[in-house]
Amino acid sequence: MPAAKPVPQRRAPARAKSEQRVRDILRVGREVFAELGYEHTTTTEIARRIGISEATVFTYFSGKRELCVRVISDWYEEITTTLAEGMPREATTFEQFRWFVHTHLSLFLVEGTGLCAFVLSEGRAKGHGELVDVLVELQRRYTAPLMDLLASGRERGELRGDISLSLMRSLVLGPIEHLLWERVGTGKKLDAEETARSLVALVWPTLAQPEQELARLRELRRTLAQALAGA
Amino acid sequence: MPAAKPVPQRRAPARAKSEQRVRDILRVGREVFAELGYEHTTTTEIARRIGISEATVFTYFSGKRELCVRVISDWYEEITTTLAEGMPREATTFEQFRWFVHTHLSLFLVEGTGLCAFVLSEGRAKGHGELVDVLVELQRRYTAPLMDLLASGRERGELRGDISLSLMRSLVLGPIEHLLWERVGTGKKLDAEETARSLVALVWPTLAQPEQELARLRELRRTLAQALAGA
Amino acid sequence: MPAAKPVPQRRAPARAKSEQRVRDILRVGREVFAELGYEHTTTTEIARRIGISEATVFTYFSGKRELCVRVISDWYEEITTTLAEGMPREATTFEQFRWFVHTHLSLFLVEGTGLCAFVLSEGRAKGHGELVDVLVELQRRYTAPLMDLLASGRERGELRGDISLSLMRSLVLGPIEHLLWERVGTGKKLDAEETARSLVALVWPTLAQPEQELARLRELRRTLAQALAGA
Amino acid sequence: MPAAKPVPQRRAPARAKSEQRVRDILRVGREVFAELGYEHTTTTEIARRIGISEATVFTYFSGKRELCVRVISDWYEEITTTLAEGMPREATTFEQFRWFVHTHLSLFLVEGTGLCAFVLSEGRAKGHGELVDVLVELQRRYTAPLMDLLASGRERGELRGDISLSLMRSLVLGPIEHLLWERVGTGKKLDAEETARSLVALVWPTLAQPEQELARLRELRRTLAQALAGA
DNA sequence: CATGAATGAGACTTCATTCAT
DNA sequence: AATGAATGAAGTCTCATTCAT
């Protein structure tokens, strides 16, 4: 990294510098929390990695917990925003579902297992006091897109109506998270594309209105038959 | 992990009294770890609840971590034993599967959410050093019965062969654990019987050899193959 | 006084050695608090002077504030006990009063100005949270002997009845404390005997039933009444 | 460490705006010190209440202690000035005394208990380093008017000569301060007028030349007798 | 064997104060 | 002159762990 000569940066807007610090701390904080977990993360370590005084961390965040809450919140924010904005609202429920599973897995993999594991485990652990309260709400917002998807799918008659939405949710998120844990534990790589495809193929039939599936197959066969006949 | 530092290994306490002490500590340890999580559990608290000196705990266990490992190991042991011994080996794969899911859920509910949550969250968290290593192996043994079940089911031709066993495992354990987390988080009660029945009904068709649909698809493939051959 | 946070319940140290430690800490604590005041006293310094680890202090006292409360309480205890037990109950109110003032001054002088100043100033300062609550009660118990003395003196008709007891109290304790402050501030020596004598001589006439003067006034009233009747 | 490190002594800020700043800081400083005590007052809080930067405070005062000294000095200045200027020099010692007690109590009550308590407790506490030195001198100037009063009263033969002036001072200021403390502690209201009257009535006879009192009564009786006789 | 006692190591947090801009 | 930013120094408190008895 030879180039990048330190441009004098005349008139560095004071405001900008401060915001940069906040970003630095959040970035490194995310990194360290993901790496060590809540209890093993120390403000000392965070400061050390940025190369600032420990006291500076406290200038921008009122404490370790607040920082952690911000780290987690930001991450949830990213996910929920992506999920909420990217969702193809006009597509069929199946397409939406496929998109959701795929995006979900990709997001986790982009971040690496660290933060993911952190939120899943620490977030659920006892004893962090208010941290739990914050996370419960975040968790709710985090699953909202899926719940919406499922609800509207049911309204459209594309999803079966004989099992509760929350059971459906567990059926979808459960395997996803389990696969991620597996990966975290064993260190095995996970192909998001491939995994998403498999999961969708496996889980969708369970969620879908049975007739839908039959119809889908019949249509496929008819299409093919016609194509063959025409050829 | 051969190392196993030379724990003083005081004369194996074969005395009945000593064994009782160990059992006491393990029992209370399990209780406290389940209640407070690893980091918030203190040796002081464990000793206090038994009514012994803190130092005594260290007479029987070389440290907090070792105790924790024993607590978790014992719990896994119980589960694995129950699952291994109770499994109806002569029954159909479906029956075995039903039994597995049902027993699994029941075991968790008997123990209460405490230890379950502890193992699922803390057990997976980072930073406990060797704890993780131990848990990976435990995890493997813990899922062994299910893997056996799935493998033999496949051999018998009762389970589909086009998806990996590990994916199947995630498909089964994922929803179970997700439902348990939900219960831990919301405090809602969970009817083991009812939940097990629902889960089996939902997941089984996905795992099973889809004979009829498969037959249909085979026919389709043959049709396509012929068409292509004709072209 | 809400919640009474779950004091960590450190193992109750009850043996002789343990009691000695408690005494050591209280003794040195009294010394340091007296010398430096609450805020400037550090647990480090207390430990250092005893020659023990700082952590040991926290084995015996759950925190700096608790230690301080104990130090002050003990001191009040000493004073109140002395005042309550030594008080010559059979003597005249005057004798009791004389004894009280004398003893009071002596006690302060024995302790040296340190703790006295500490209690008078810190005890009254803001911001120590619950410390204040504790002190208010101690203050009440501390002035109780004097109040009793004054009350019984009034009942016996030896003290005037036209001024409130609390005003009398201020009239007695005010000058005593002011003299002590003066001594603290200027470092001047104070002869307890001599000072006590002077104070008693000065204040007593103000408190006592002014029999002679009263008699004179009664005569005057009679004279007036006669004069008016004659008119 | 008396040395008095070379405070940058920025060009004496003679501008009106600068003076306003100093006044603002002193005003708010007085407020906060009175409210929180010395140790609990932070420069941050002072700056916050004024709406300026913390660093600005240090532009005008070389540190927290210096500011505190100024706050206390100013307050003493006010009191001493008021006492010195308002004193009715031509009146009898009794009148002067009455005026002094009354004014004194009123001043405290005007300021509220805050600063009063602050000066009395913190001002006397240890550990503020040079603060104490400053206060001793202030204390001297503060009691000067009373001492003058007492001295001249004695010269005029209106006050007894058998007790030291400093004892008299304690006899006067002690009860006043004790009453104020009582008020601070209990939160009870205090009627300055009424309290001053009572105090004067109680303490004056003790200070006065005994003959003076007798003379006073005799004169009263004579006046009455004459009046009655004449009627 | 059991334990009372002690503690080293380190965590989080606060705040007066400095300095470049 | 004013301040945004940064920090050194210090303080309280926790806890797993050791060791002599």
Side-chain angles (χ1 to χ4, degrees):
Chain A
M1 225 48 50
K5 80 181 77 175
V7 177
Q9 262 299 79
R10 191 184 295 275
R11 168 122 70 120
R15 197 41 167 247
K17 203 171 168 193
S18 179
E19 281 170 7
Q20 183 53 41
R21 264 289 131 84
V22 170
R23 275 196 298 273
D24 287 345
I25 297 171
L26 284 172
R27 176 174 47 75
V28 175
R30 176 185 287 211
E31 180 184 310
V32 182
F33 277 123
E35 205 169 301
L36 304 175
Y38 183 81
E39 302 289 350
H40 284 35
T41 292
T42 65
T43 50
T44 310
E45 175 64 11
I46 293 175
R48 198 189 58 72
R49 290 201 194 181
I50 308 178
I52 60 177
S53 156
E54 202 173 348
T56 304
V57 175
F58 287 88
T59 302
Y60 293 94
F61 295 88
S62 64
K64 182 184 174 183
R65 181 155 59 231
E66 203 215 71
L67 172 54
C68 178
V69 168
R70 262 299 291 281
V71 164
I72 297 183
S73 301
D74 283 6
W75 182 65
Y76 267 97
E77 197 67 43
E78 284 173 29
I79 293 201
T80 13
T81 302
T82 306
L83 290 181
E85 291 182 352
M87 173 75 73
R89 301 191 180 284
E90 308 305 319
T92 62
T93 300
F94 175 76
E95 283 305 323
Q96 290 182 356
F97 178 67
R98 210 157 63 97
W99 181 89
F100 176 87
V101 172
H102 187 274
T103 307
H104 208 131
L105 275 166
S106 304
L107 281 174
F108 280 131
L109 296 183
V110 161
E111 181 56 52
T113 51
L115 194 56
C116 165
F118 172 59
V119 173
L120 261 55
S121 88
E122 295 289 337
R124 284 161 168 175
K126 328 287 194 60
H128 299 349
E130 304 132 38
L131 218 168
V132 167
D133 296 336
V134 176
L135 283 170
V136 166
E137 168 60 15
L138 289 174
Q139 187 73 20
R140 203 191 55 66
R141 281 169 50 200
Y142 156 69
T143 56
L146 175 58
M147 292 305 271
D148 291 347
L149 187 164
L150 296 174
S152 76
R154 172 175 287 181
E155 273 175 26
R156 298 191 206 169
E158 296 178 59
L159 294 185
R160 53 197 291 187
D162 60 340
I163 52 175
S164 71
L165 291 183
S166 71
L167 187 53
M168 280 187 176
R169 182 178 53 197
S170 287
L171 214 59
V172 174
L173 296 179
I176 291 180
E177 295 184 0
H178 197 271
L179 283 166
L180 288 167
W181 271 125
E182 210 168 68
R183 189 189 169 222
V184 170
T186 63
K188 270 191 299 192
K189 288 291 175 190
L190 191 69
D191 180 339
E193 294 286 340
E194 170 60 22
T195 308
R197 226 184 335 263
S198 300
L199 264 182
V200 167
L202 285 173
V203 175
W204 175 255
T206 305
L207 302 177
Q209 190 68 274
E211 300 81 38
Q212 292 271 332
E213 278 308 284
L214 285 182
R216 188 172 293 209
L217 277 173
R218 283 192 198 112
E219 190 190 24
L220 173 60
R221 195 192 304 166
R222 200 181 326 118
T223 306
L224 282 169
Q226 286 177 349
L228 292 169
Chain B
M1 228 71 17
K5 70 180 161 191
V7 175
Q9 259 311 79
R10 303 164 187 283
R11 190 184 348 166
R15 310 267 207 203
K17 207 172 156 195
S18 283
E19 283 173 4
Q20 184 53 41
R21 267 286 137 87
V22 170
R23 274 197 299 275
D24 286 345
I25 297 172
L26 284 172
R27 177 175 45 78
V28 175
R30 174 184 287 210
E31 180 184 308
V32 182
F33 278 124
E35 208 169 298
L36 304 175
Y38 183 81
E39 301 292 348
H40 287 26
T41 291
T42 64
T43 51
T44 309
E45 176 64 10
I46 292 174
R48 199 188 60 72
R49 290 203 195 180
I50 307 178
I52 61 176
S53 159
E54 203 172 347
T56 305
V57 175
F58 286 83
T59 303
Y60 292 94
F61 296 88
S62 66
K64 181 182 173 184
R65 181 155 57 232
E66 203 215 68
L67 171 55
C68 179
V69 169
R70 266 296 295 278
V71 164
I72 297 183
S73 302
D74 283 5
W75 183 67
Y76 268 99
E77 198 68 43
E78 283 173 29
I79 293 201
T80 342
T81 302
T82 305
L83 289 181
E85 292 182 351
M87 173 78 72
R89 299 189 183 285
E90 308 306 320
T92 62
T93 300
F94 174 75
E95 281 306 322
Q96 290 182 354
F97 178 68
R98 212 159 62 98
W99 181 87
F100 177 87
V101 172
H102 187 273
T103 306
H104 208 131
L105 274 167
S106 303
L107 281 175
F108 280 131
L109 297 183
V110 161
E111 182 57 54
T113 52
L115 193 56
C116 163
F118 173 59
V119 173
L120 263 56
S121 84
E122 296 288 337
R124 283 163 167 175
K126 322 295 195 55
H128 299 348
E130 307 132 36
L131 215 167
V132 167
D133 298 334
V134 177
L135 283 169
V136 166
E137 168 58 14
L138 289 174
Q139 187 73 19
R140 203 192 54 67
R141 281 169 50 200
Y142 156 69
T143 55
L146 175 59
M147 293 305 271
D148 291 347
L149 186 164
L150 296 174
S152 76
R154 172 175 288 179
E155 274 174 25
R156 296 189 206 172
E158 295 177 63
L159 294 186
R160 53 198 291 185
D162 59 340
I163 53 176
S164 71
L165 291 183
S166 70
L167 187 53
M168 280 187 177
R169 182 178 55 197
S170 289
L171 212 59
V172 174
L173 295 180
I176 290 180
E177 293 184 0
H178 198 271
L179 282 167
L180 287 168
W181 271 125
E182 209 169 69
R183 189 189 169 220
V184 170
T186 61
K188 269 191 300 191
K189 288 291 176 190
L190 191 69
D191 181 338
E193 294 285 340
E194 170 63 20
T195 308
R197 229 186 329 267
S198 300
L199 265 181
V200 168
L202 285 173
V203 175
W204 175 256
T206 304
L207 301 178
Q209 186 66 275
E211 308 199 13
Q212 299 173 9
E213 284 303 308
L214 188 67
R216 259 179 233 196
L217 282 174
R218 283 200 191 111
E219 188 191 18
L220 175 58
R221 195 197 303 169
R222 204 182 322 118
T223 308
L224 282 169
Q226 288 176 347
L228 292 171
Chain C
M1 212 105 353
K5 73 179 163 192
V7 175
Q9 264 303 85
R10 297 168 189 288
R11 179 173 316 291
R15 292 280 208 253
K17 201 172 170 192
S18 180
E19 280 170 9
Q20 183 52 43
R21 265 289 130 84
V22 170
R23 275 196 297 274
D24 287 346
I25 297 173
L26 284 172
R27 177 174 46 77
V28 175
R30 176 185 286 209
E31 180 184 310
V32 182
F33 277 122
E35 203 169 302
L36 304 174
Y38 183 82
E39 303 288 350
H40 285 32
T41 291
T42 66
T43 50
T44 310
E45 175 63 10
I46 292 174
R48 198 189 60 71
R49 290 201 194 180
I50 307 179
I52 60 177
S53 158
E54 200 173 350
T56 303
V57 175
F58 287 89
T59 302
Y60 294 93
F61 295 88
S62 66
K64 181 184 173 182
R65 181 154 59 230
E66 203 216 69
L67 172 54
C68 178
V69 168
R70 263 299 291 281
V71 164
I72 297 183
S73 301
D74 284 6
W75 182 65
Y76 267 97
E77 197 68 42
E78 284 173 29
I79 293 201
T80 10
T81 302
T82 306
L83 289 181
E85 291 182 351
M87 171 78 71
R89 298 188 185 287
E90 307 306 318
T92 62
T93 299
F94 174 75
E95 282 306 320
Q96 289 183 356
F97 178 68
R98 209 158 65 99
W99 181 88
F100 177 87
V101 171
H102 187 273
T103 307
H104 208 131
L105 274 167
S106 303
L107 281 174
F108 280 132
L109 296 182
V110 161
E111 182 56 55
T113 51
L115 193 57
C116 165
F118 173 59
V119 173
L120 261 55
S121 89
E122 295 290 336
R124 283 159 169 177
K126 327 286 192 60
H128 298 350
E130 304 133 37
L131 219 168
V132 167
D133 296 336
V134 176
L135 283 169
V136 166
E137 168 59 14
L138 289 173
Q139 187 72 20
R140 203 192 54 68
R141 279 169 49 201
Y142 156 69
T143 55
L146 175 58
M147 292 304 271
D148 290 348
L149 188 164
L150 295 174
S152 77
R154 173 176 290 180
E155 273 174 27
R156 298 191 205 170
E158 297 177 60
L159 294 186
R160 55 198 287 188
D162 59 340
I163 54 174
S164 71
L165 290 183
S166 69
L167 187 53
M168 279 187 178
R169 181 178 55 197
S170 288
L171 213 58
V172 174
L173 296 179
I176 290 180
E177 294 185 1
H178 197 271
L179 283 166
L180 286 168
W181 272 125
E182 208 169 69
R183 187 187 170 222
V184 171
T186 62
K188 269 190 298 189
K189 288 292 176 190
L190 191 69
D191 180 339
E193 294 287 338
E194 170 61 21
T195 309
R197 226 182 338 263
S198 300
L199 264 182
V200 168
L202 284 175
V203 176
W204 175 256
T206 305
L207 302 177
Q209 187 67 277
E211 308 199 15
Q212 298 170 11
E213 285 303 308
L214 188 68
R216 261 180 230 198
L217 282 173
R218 283 202 191 109
E219 188 190 20
L220 174 60
R221 196 196 300 166
R222 201 180 326 118
T223 308
L224 282 169
Q226 287 176 347
L228 293 170
Chain D
M1 219 91 358
K5 68 182 158 190
V7 175
Q9 260 307 81
R10 302 162 188 284
R11 191 186 345 171
R15 309 270 207 200
K17 206 173 159 194
S18 284
E19 284 173 5
Q20 183 53 41
R21 268 286 137 86
V22 170
R23 273 196 299 275
D24 285 345
I25 297 172
L26 284 172
R27 177 174 46 77
V28 174
R30 173 185 288 210
E31 181 183 308
V32 181
F33 278 123
E35 208 168 297
L36 305 175
Y38 183 80
E39 301 292 350
H40 287 25
T41 291
T42 64
T43 50
T44 310
E45 176 64 10
I46 293 173
R48 200 189 58 72
R49 290 202 193 180
I50 307 177
I52 61 176
S53 158
E54 203 172 347
T56 305
V57 175
F58 286 84
T59 303
Y60 293 94
F61 295 88
S62 66
K64 182 184 172 182
R65 181 154 58 234
E66 201 214 72
L67 172 54
C68 178
V69 169
R70 266 297 295 277
V71 164
I72 297 183
S73 302
D74 284 6
W75 182 66
Y76 269 98
E77 198 67 42
E78 283 174 30
I79 292 201
T80 346
T81 302
T82 306
L83 289 181
E85 292 182 351
M87 173 76 73
R89 300 187 184 284
E90 308 305 321
T92 62
T93 300
F94 174 76
E95 281 306 321
Q96 288 183 356
F97 178 67
R98 211 158 61 99
W99 180 89
F100 176 87
V101 172
H102 187 273
T103 306
H104 208 131
L105 274 167
S106 303
L107 280 175
F108 280 131
L109 297 183
V110 161
E111 182 57 54
T113 52
L115 193 57
C116 164
F118 174 60
V119 173
L120 261 56
S121 84
E122 297 287 338
R124 284 162 167 177
K126 322 294 195 55
H128 299 348
E130 306 131 38
L131 217 166
V132 167
D133 298 335
V134 176
L135 282 170
V136 166
E137 169 58 14
L138 289 174
Q139 187 73 18
R140 202 193 55 68
R141 280 169 50 200
Y142 155 71
T143 54
L146 175 58
M147 292 305 271
D148 291 348
L149 187 165
L150 296 174
S152 75
R154 172 175 289 179
E155 274 175 26
R156 297 190 206 172
E158 296 177 62
L159 294 185
R160 54 199 288 187
D162 59 342
I163 53 176
S164 72
L165 289 184
S166 69
L167 187 52
M168 280 187 175
R169 180 177 56 197
S170 288
L171 213 58
V172 174
L173 295 179
I176 291 180
E177 295 184 1
H178 198 272
L179 283 166
L180 287 168
W181 271 125
E182 210 169 68
R183 188 188 170 221
V184 170
T186 62
K188 269 191 300 190
K189 288 290 177 190
L190 191 69
D191 180 340
E193 294 285 341
E194 170 63 21
T195 308
R197 227 182 335 262
S198 300
L199 266 180
V200 168
L202 284 173
V203 175
W204 175 255
T206 304
L207 302 176
Q209 191 66 274
E211 302 78 39
Q212 290 272 330
E213 280 306 286
L214 284 183
R216 190 174 290 211
L217 277 174
R218 284 193 196 110
E219 187 189 26
L220 173 59
R221 197 194 303 172
R222 199 182 327 118
T223 307
L224 283 168
Q226 286 177 347
L228 293 169

